[in-house]
Amino acid sequence: MIKSLDIAIIIPTKDRPNHIKNLLESIKNLNVKIGQILIADGSGNISEIIDLYNKALNIHWLKCPEIGQINQRNYALKFINSDIKIVAYLDDDLILDKNSIKNIINFWNETKPTPAGVSFNITNLKVQPNNYLRKIFFMQLE
């Protein structure tokens, strides 16, 4: 059985301190506690924001030697605690619903056979206006 403390969240970011602050606030307000949060920072300018959440969250700020989401994610993987069973990757501009992690854990524990991975949809995304590029890439809403 997976518990919330079995989960690590890796968040790559660069030059988006307000996004990180909003995401960390939403993680702090979850109805479960996360085992480990790794902020893989490509800019090195968010230490003051991280300090605001050190007491409430098991958070680790990593100043990445290379930038780029993939490089930053891979770098953060080196710092995962040995007791972590699931790693979640989040974009820095997300805001989590207070029940989101609880719902993921319930899904994971109730699905048989046990999933190898899980993906969920963003439900609070603003609707993008239609335009020419959205049309040619089949992203236009009817």
Side-chain angles (χ1 to χ4, degrees):
M1 293 293 278
I2 297 297
K3 299 179 288 285
S4 64
L5 294 176
D6 296 329
I7 298 173
I9 296 175
I10 293 177
I11 307 162
T13 191
K14 183 178 182 302
D15 297 324
R16 293 168 44 125
N18 291 334
H19 290 297
I20 285 294
K21 185 176 181 181
N22 293 337
L23 175 55
L24 291 176
E25 188 65 27
S26 75
I27 292 172
K28 184 180 99 173
N29 292 327
L30 290 171
N31 58 12
V32 294
K33 186 169 175 60
I34 300 298
Q36 185 179 20
I37 301 163
L38 299 160
I39 307 293
D41 185 8
S43 60
N45 64 358
I46 61 168
S47 62
E48 291 177 8
I49 292 170
I50 302 303
D51 290 343
L52 298 172
Y53 295 92
N54 270 332
K55 290 183 181 173
L57 302 171
N58 184 13
I59 189 169
H60 305 277
W61 176 60
L62 306 171
K63 173 73 174 89
C64 294
E66 296 182 58
I67 59 171
Q69 276 195 3
I70 294 171
N71 291 332
Q72 289 168 236
R73 286 176 181 175
N74 288 341
Y75 182 73
L77 281 171
K78 298 174 189 175
F79 298 91
I80 296 289
N81 292 339
S82 61
D83 59 337
I84 293 296
K85 296 177 183 172
I86 294 176
V87 176
Y89 297 106
L90 297 181
D91 290 339
D92 61 5
D93 59 349
L94 294 176
I95 304 290
L96 298 179
D97 177 82
K98 68 178 183 173
N99 294 314
S100 57
I101 300 299
K102 182 179 176 186
N103 292 340
I104 289 170
I105 292 168
N106 289 341
F107 176 84
W108 191 280
N109 288 331
E110 292 170 6
T111 302
K112 301 295 177 216
T114 302
V118 175
S119 176
F120 289 85
N121 292 329
I122 299 171
T123 60
N124 59 351
L125 185 66
K126 292 181 185 174
V127 175
Q128 301 293 315
N130 290 329
N131 62 37
Y132 178 72
L133 288 175
R134 292 181 65 77
K135 183 177 181 177
I136 65 172
F137 287 105
F138 302 103
M139 296 170 61
Q140 184 167 320
L141 300 172
E142 299 299 325

